[in-house]
Amino acid sequence: MATIKMVDIVKRFGKLEAVSHLDLEIKDREFLVLLGPSGCGKTTTLRSIAGLETIDEGEIWIGDELVNNKRASDRDIAFVFQLYALYPHLTAYKNISFPLETQGMNKKEIEERVKEVANILKINHILKKKPSALSSGDMQRIALGRAMVRRPKAFLMDEPIGTLDAKFREVMRTELKRLHIDIGATTVYVTHDQVEAMSMGDRIAVMHEGVMQQVGKPAEVYDNPKNLFVANFIGSPGMNFLNVTCVKSGNATKAVLASDESVSFQFSEKVYAYCVEKDTKQKGLVLGIRPEWIRIERKRDSNLVQSEIYVVEPLGPSKIIDLKVGNDIIRARTKADFEARIGDKVWIELIESKVHFFDKESGQAYKLGS
Amino acid sequence: MAEVVLKNVTKKFGAVTAISNMNLKVNSGELFVLLGPTGAGKTTTLRCVAGLERQDEGNIFIEGVNVDKFDPANRDVAFVFQYFSLYPHYTVRENLEFPLKPKHRRLPQNEIEDRVNEVSKILHIDHLLERKSDKLSGGEMQRVTIGRAIVRKPKIFLMDEPLSNLDAKLREELRAELKRLQMDIGATLFFVTHDQVEAMTMADRIAVLNKGKIQQLGIPFEVYNHPKNTFVASFVGSPAINFFSAEIKNSKLEIIKGKFEFNLVKEVMGKLKGFQGNLRIGIRPEDVDVSSKQADGSIQGIVYGIENMGVEKIVTIKVEDNIFKAVCSAGFESEVNAKISIKFNQTMLHFFNQDTGENLL
């Protein structure tokens, strides 16, 4: 296995810069997820690593080798498209050995290679079976086995489970992550689905409009998003955003809602001082808070902010409550047994330690606290 | 009353029965969701109501009138499809005006204008009225499509996966807006989706459909907490419910041989009495408690995988040959292959007949 390193990559299609000065290093044995909406450049990045696209600027290193001028077939990389596409008429063994047979490798060596792969994937007992007799997880193992048998330096996967139905995808995602832990192969995995990215990635690289927005562990991108785009893209429902200005009146320090100046959230002196320091031009800030950090009280509490229940969305294990605050709608997550009726008045608190602030124009996050 | 009633409706395509003897009633002012996997018969049902397909057997009533012989145009329902269907060279305003223009409606121009303005405000597209519709984003297009359906003020809307082609964020936003809109205008909405999250969050009532048959009909709470069979139990909820085979021995329930043993409460025991078949137990991931410390009544397992979803963690656990999931707080720390203690919330167990899938309680 190997590291993959991209230095200042640019890829253009005509006038369009699909990938813009991208730097990214994928560690040996790491499972890195490239995440972003369609058109963000993630697939182009992956295809550039594979050698299916020629980059216009920058360097791509696989291991300690510069591969810019190497053809795709010489890069020693396995590009996996769909993890459940097997030859139905061939046994599991034949499905795995197929790439080696087309290379003209001798039978004995093929057998050794297949055995080696089968040992890692724990599929020795099913090698004689045909795909129709296998479970989905086993089929995935066979498909990976077919890629592994060539001993590639890394796996590249482009939405390999994207077209499956929701339940099947859930199973596949757990299995695939587990397989990665067992075989420890460097993997770059492309998806537009933040759930897949969060659940599978050792690290997530979030892309938008060809530009790398943030690279970090799932908990980092979720808890400390670097900008509005990442904050909004990760999490379901996404983070709530409110335009606010920070104000001091008497002893009270608060964030006043831009959409309705009669509504304000009280914050500590520390947060106020911090916001004033950041908001030098007094153009206001964007306050961000995730749905699970909004506390709802049914009883009137003058320290909290009054709001009205706008929509109730039960999810089963929890509920999403859409709240009207001033002229904004924000979403809170509550327990399933929270009784809520549309039109009810409630009082809410934004948990201060979980509040984010962003620059209104650049969208960059300000770091609170430490 | 703007209600839709299906009575013994069957629809076949050649040898395939797409809908089988379906009975349901969508109440006036209700948001009714038909939920099921691809091929379940959802779209066919909706198309029969709209008159785009004719059922082979049974009757359909709209507002109390048997419409079996009515053309789609005479059923006075508004249909919104998955794919936006706007006139690309028209502006948003022209697209919204279009359904009001036919001569038989005889609407004066100022009335048309009022309606377009009202609808565009409700859907937050009033700033886009003069824009050509091919210059809109996907979300804006779908809003206009919905607007074009609303502007006629029909009493009944039929919507076939109207949010499915939108990206995740937009879908989340629009589903709440649509629900609120339906409430505000008091219309009847018959909504089809394969997405259980959409169904749970939007519906007043859900009908879960599989292979042309209604599996269960109820409010989201019932469908989630009292699934009638294993199909409904596993189709609704994410991560999916966990299933185990189990046995009852000397009035004790044994899940995973030699591991979990529960004393069954009398009421449950009474209902299971006389049941001779194979038992299948379901438990939702949020009702599985995990801990790194051993506690009374807990059993040992191995962490098979951990997924950090930000708001919570999903832990996949292996006990012998059983692999199942637990949902725990985001702060839960463990690692793959670590030992873990597991407890089932006994009051949240679901009992099914292994062979028929039926809920036994």
Side-chain angles (χ1 to χ4, degrees):
Chain A
M1 284 296 145
T3 57
I4 299 171
K5 195 167 151 190
M6 283 167 276
V7 186
D8 207 14
I9 302 284
V10 176
K11 172 68 191 175
R12 295 184 194 92
F13 294 110
K15 277 185 185 163
L16 178 82
E17 209 165 79
V19 180
S20 183
H21 300 282
L22 179 128
D23 290 302
L24 181 63
E25 195 170 339
I26 299 137
K27 296 170 196 159
D28 188 26
R29 301 176 153 259
E30 182 176 32
F31 195 107
L32 183 118
V33 178
L34 269 177
L35 173 71
S38 57
C40 74
K42 54 190 190 302
T43 295
T44 305
T45 304
L46 195 73
R47 289 173 57 86
S48 301
I49 299 171
L52 300 172
E53 300 285 356
T54 316
I55 52 175
D56 295 307
E57 289 175 33
E59 295 174 354
I60 297 179
W61 294 77
I62 296 175
D64 44 20
E65 199 179 8
L66 181 68
V67 297
N68 282 31
N69 296 320
K70 275 200 151 185
R71 289 193 309 187
S73 55
D74 297 332
R75 290 193 186 188
D76 249 356
I77 266 179
F79 204 116
V80 184
F81 292 94
Q82 290 182 331
L83 275 169
Y84 41 91
L86 298 174
Y87 299 109
H89 58 290
L90 297 180
T91 61
Y93 182 100
K94 285 282 179 189
N95 263 289
I96 294 170
S97 67
F98 189 80
L100 301 181
E101 273 166 31
T102 55
Q103 279 175 21
M105 189 182 277
N106 75 55
K107 237 184 169 176
K108 207 177 155 214
E109 203 178 341
I110 289 177
E111 206 179 311
E112 276 169 20
R113 288 267 195 116
V114 174
K115 264 196 185 150
E116 177 190 304
V117 168
N119 278 335
I120 297 168
L121 295 172
K122 304 189 183 83
I123 47 173
N124 292 302
H125 59 295
I126 53 169
L127 286 176
K128 284 182 186 151
K129 290 190 178 171
K130 287 192 176 166
S132 57
L134 299 174
S135 71
S136 57
D138 285 338
M139 282 170 73
Q140 197 176 41
R141 283 163 195 265
I142 308 297
L144 264 190
R146 189 166 58 189
M148 284 168 66
V149 78
R150 290 195 292 112
R151 292 182 182 160
K153 288 183 178 144
F155 290 116
L156 307 182
M157 304 188 187
D158 191 0
E159 311 239 7
I161 60 177
T163 56
L164 303 177
D165 71 49
K167 293 292 145 197
F168 199 20
R169 213 156 57 220
E170 232 169 56
V171 174
M172 291 296 238
R173 168 180 114 195
T174 309
E175 280 297 323
L176 194 56
K177 180 68 199 274
R178 176 68 204 202
L179 272 173
H180 173 258
I181 290 167
D182 290 343
I183 62 187
T186 307
T187 305
V188 186
Y189 184 101
V190 159
T191 183
H192 69 280
D193 179 353
Q194 63 94 19
V195 173
E196 261 175 46
M198 285 294 287
S199 67
M200 295 173 71
D202 291 327
R203 285 190 304 155
I204 301 173
V206 187
M207 287 183 77
H208 177 50
E209 293 178 345
V211 179
M212 189 59 76
Q213 306 291 315
Q214 183 167 5
V215 185
K217 290 180 181 163
E220 281 166 18
V221 290
Y222 188 83
D223 294 330
N224 296 304
K226 270 194 171 167
N227 58 40
L228 282 173
F229 178 81
V230 176
N232 182 44
F233 199 76
I234 305 241
S236 171
M239 190 182 276
N240 297 293
F241 301 114
L242 296 167
N243 282 310
V244 297
T245 43
C246 290
V247 172
K248 188 170 188 172
S249 64
N251 278 331
T253 46
K254 54 196 182 181
V256 176
L257 216 57
S259 75
D260 182 349
E261 289 183 358
S262 69
V263 178
S264 60
F265 294 93
Q266 291 192 21
F267 285 116
S268 65
E269 183 87 24
K270 187 180 145 201
V271 168
Y272 169 76
Y274 174 84
C275 289
V276 170
E277 180 199 320
K278 293 298 179 193
D279 189 17
T280 45
K281 288 182 199 154
Q282 297 201 317
K283 57 186 195 270
L285 298 164
V286 178
L287 181 159
I289 183 100
R290 294 217 176 265
E292 61 269 31
W293 300 115
I294 298 175
R295 189 170 69 87
I296 306 181
E297 279 294 332
R298 295 207 139 273
K299 283 193 198 136
R300 178 183 293 274
D301 183 336
S302 57
N303 290 317
L304 306 185
V305 171
Q306 183 182 315
S307 91
E308 186 190 307
I309 294 180
Y310 185 72
V311 172
V312 180
E313 303 179 276
L315 283 171
S318 61
K319 266 184 189 155
I320 306 296
I321 312 287
D322 294 40
L323 299 158
K324 194 156 192 216
V325 186
N327 285 311
D328 289 299
I329 304 273
I330 58 174
R331 288 179 158 167
R333 187 186 287 264
T334 65
K335 290 193 170 158
D337 56 8
F338 181 80
E339 287 292 334
R341 278 194 319 267
I342 290 171
D344 281 2
K345 297 250 181 308
V346 291
W347 284 262
I348 63 169
E349 179 191 358
L350 313 182
I351 305 298
E352 181 173 304
S353 61
K354 300 296 180 181
V355 164
H356 302 253
F357 287 100
F358 302 89
D359 186 283
K360 214 171 171 181
E361 275 153 23
S362 70
Q364 291 301 306
Y366 297 131
K367 275 231 150 116
L368 257 178
S370 56
Chain B
M1 295 297 271
E3 54 191 35
V4 178
V5 175
L6 279 79
K7 234 178 200 169
N8 306 328
V9 170
T10 295
K11 171 72 190 171
K12 292 180 184 144
F13 294 108
V16 181
T17 305
I19 321 171
S20 174
N21 196 29
M22 185 187 286
N23 286 290
L24 65 81
K25 180 177 168 196
V26 181
N27 295 318
S28 186
E30 182 179 35
L31 204 167
F32 188 96
V33 175
L34 198 55
L35 170 71
T38 314
K42 325 180 278 297
T43 297
T44 303
T45 306
L46 211 60
R47 287 174 62 86
C48 284
V49 174
L52 300 169
E53 302 281 355
R54 287 289 157 96
Q55 70 271 20
D56 297 306
E57 290 164 37
N59 309 105
I60 295 174
F61 301 84
I62 294 176
E63 298 188 53
V65 177
N66 183 330
V67 295
D68 293 344
K69 298 213 163 78
F70 287 24
D71 285 336
N74 296 324
R75 297 195 180 194
D76 202 25
V77 292
F79 206 122
V80 178
F81 297 94
Q82 180 175 358
Y83 300 95
F84 335 121
S85 46
L86 298 176
Y87 299 102
H89 50 287
Y90 279 15
T91 62
V92 170
R93 182 187 293 283
E94 286 163 336
N95 266 290
L96 291 175
E97 283 176 348
F98 192 80
L100 301 176
K101 290 280 187 182
K103 282 213 177 83
H104 70 273
R105 296 200 196 278
R106 289 200 206 103
L107 278 174
Q109 186 57 35
N110 62 349
E111 164 92 33
I112 293 180
E113 241 167 68
D114 284 352
R115 285 216 197 167
V116 168
N117 289 339
E118 186 192 335
V119 162
S120 60
K121 258 192 210 123
I122 293 173
L123 290 167
H124 309 293
I125 46 175
D126 40 343
H127 59 294
L128 301 171
L129 281 175
E130 309 314 326
R131 200 177 289 180
K132 285 265 166 68
S133 61
D134 59 355
K135 297 281 186 292
L136 301 174
S137 72
E140 290 163 349
M141 277 195 212
Q142 196 59 315
R143 280 198 176 91
V144 178
T145 308
I146 293 167
R148 211 169 49 171
I150 295 171
V151 79
R152 288 204 287 115
K153 296 194 175 167
K155 295 190 191 106
I156 297 167
F157 290 92
L158 310 178
M159 297 197 186
D160 189 7
E161 310 240 9
L163 309 179
S164 295
N165 278 347
L166 304 174
D167 70 45
K169 288 291 138 192
L170 210 51
R171 214 156 57 219
E172 244 164 45
E173 206 179 286
L174 270 180
R175 79 177 186 227
E177 276 183 32
L178 201 56
K179 179 172 181 172
R180 180 68 200 209
L181 178 74
Q182 178 266 338
M183 274 193 52
D184 288 347
I185 62 179
T188 305
L189 175 50
F190 193 177
F191 188 99
V192 156
T193 183
H194 70 279
D195 180 349
Q196 61 95 16
V197 174
E198 233 165 70
M200 285 291 289
T201 53
M202 292 180 72
D204 291 320
R205 286 190 304 154
I206 301 174
V208 184
L209 194 67
N210 190 35
K211 295 179 180 165
K213 285 194 178 126
I214 293 181
Q215 307 291 312
Q216 183 167 3
L217 204 161
I219 61 169
F221 181 87
E222 280 167 10
V223 170
Y224 188 81
N225 292 294
H226 306 289
K228 267 198 169 168
N229 57 38
T230 49
F231 177 82
V232 175
S234 68
F235 197 76
V236 177
S238 171
I241 195 168
N242 302 298
F243 288 118
F244 303 89
S245 50
E247 272 180 58
I248 294 175
K249 277 183 185 163
N250 308 325
S251 73
K252 280 189 170 173
L253 175 72
E254 191 183 53
I255 306 175
I256 311 177
K257 253 199 164 53
K259 296 285 181 183
F260 277 123
E261 251 188 27
F262 294 105
N263 290 311
L264 287 171
V265 291
K266 248 190 192 156
E267 192 192 334
V268 173
M269 205 54 219
K271 285 188 178 167
L272 294 178
K273 214 172 195 175
F275 174 66
Q276 297 291 329
N278 298 313
L279 197 58
R280 197 172 196 204
I281 297 296
I283 186 160
R284 296 212 176 266
E286 64 269 25
D287 299 321
V288 178
D289 292 329
V290 294
S291 165
S292 42
K293 287 182 207 126
Q294 192 140 13
D296 248 14
S298 69
I299 62 163
Q300 290 287 306
I302 300 283
V303 176
Y304 185 79
I306 300 181
E307 298 165 76
N308 185 349
M309 309 311 291
V311 59
E312 63 201 13
K313 279 184 179 145
I314 301 170
V315 182
T316 308
I317 304 152
K318 195 170 181 192
V319 178
E320 291 175 356
D321 282 342
N322 296 273
I323 290 179
F324 55 97
K325 288 187 156 86
V327 171
C328 49
S329 73
F332 179 79
E333 293 290 342
S334 188
E335 54 190 61
V336 170
N337 289 332
K339 277 191 185 147
I340 194 166
S341 287
I342 310 129
K343 242 179 140 168
F344 287 175
N345 183 348
Q346 195 192 339
T347 59
M348 301 306 278
L349 296 177
H350 303 266
F351 296 80
F352 300 99
N353 179 330
Q354 170 107 301
D355 305 309
T356 64
E358 245 176 300
N359 195 328
L360 294 164
L361 298 190

